[in-house]
Amino acid sequence: MVGKGSINHNSRKFKAENVDGERSHLNLDYCNENIKKVYQKLFDEALHRYNGKQTRADRRIENYYEKIRNSKQEKPFHELILQIGDKENMGADSENGNLALQILDEYYGKFQSRNSNLYVFSAHLHMDEATPHLHIDFVPFTTGSKRGLDTRVSLKQALAMQGFKGGTRGNTEWSQWIQSEKEQLAAVMERYGIEWEHKGTHEKHLSVLEYKKQEREKEVDQLVEQIAEKREEFKVLSDRVENYDKGIENLKILEQELDASPEYRLSEPQGLMSAKSYKNKVAEPLVKKLKLLIKTTLVKCFEAWDSYYRLNITNGNLYRDSEKLRKINEKLAGENDNLRAENKNYKLLRKVLGSKQTDSLLEQANRMKQPKQREKRFRNNGER
């Protein structure tokens, strides 16, 4: 489970109705630091370096904790809640409940060393509710950042630094990490003779729709990434075309300089200088210099025109590719919306008719469909 986090509840500063106060002494309190002091410990030095670089007062950050608390992108901390079984098979006041305590305690023992970019400041194992469970509250942080503070809050980057990156909408960095932690817990359970039962949804027929929806979401995500790549290529090419246009402007500036610069003008003959001497010493060197300049300029100009022509062709191809991807993306998004609607209708149907009756109807429909499918396969084989 992933909770919003209630530090006061976890540390039992207040007790909810479902808490058995007579069993609270059995709880394990691993740590309970003040989150504001944790922020000072983790980020004060980076905050000082950041503020020292700012020339404008309005860009300085007075209180980093308050900035994150009011942020729409990041949370001040995250909470992970882990539980084995339920009150029927792992009740807190049973022998199995004590077994769950040992397993969760051993699991937590290596949590911080395994997650070096998640600073755990509050962790509690509760034995005073129906089923033993573990609350782990942590601040995710990344170092070496080139944007904002060099050490800053970022769940995505913290998990990326731990190897969980390149997530998609259907398989985020967070879900990858959660799966990894479940496997770590399952490994401890196995040492105590408990097997992880991978429970599927009781709505077994619904899983087909869910699968299709997930596959569509993956395809949409891939297309979004491809469109982003094409847009980046388009931007690069646009920049190159813009640079070419600047080159034309530079040529015009050069033309003006040629008209005005004394270096490219024939000077007046000195004193009694002969025509031959004037030709050899003044005119011919200037002509050679001008020829070299014109030759170099023409070569660069032709190269630029050729590059410009090729860039325009590539640019046009990229635009067409982008449009194709956009249309495919819209089509897949529409199919995804339809699948969501079917999914919703299916859940509503199951709620109204009940799971057993719905499953029975679906099984009947499948049995009716199978003979038709066999007949179609037989007919296709006969045609071959």
Side-chain angles (χ1 to χ4, degrees), residues 185-198:
L185 179 58
V188 180
M189 289 162 52
E190 285 182 6
R191 290 198 287 273
Y192 286 82
I194 299 178
E195 185 180 351
W196 178 13
E197 181 184 355
H198 296 261

Side-chain angles (χ1 to χ4, degrees), residues 53 55 60 64 71 123 141 164 172-173 199 206 228 253 266 288 299 313 341 344 352 361 366 370 382:
K53 295 177 183 177
T55 56
R60 295 191 181 96
Y64 189 57
S71 170
F141 66 94
F164 303 96
T172 63
E173 291 87 355
K199 288 187 176 181
L206 182 62
I253 294 171
L266 276 172
K288 286 181 181 179
V299 168
I313 293 175
K344 186 176 179 181
V352 173
L361 288 171
N366 284 328
Q370 285 173 1

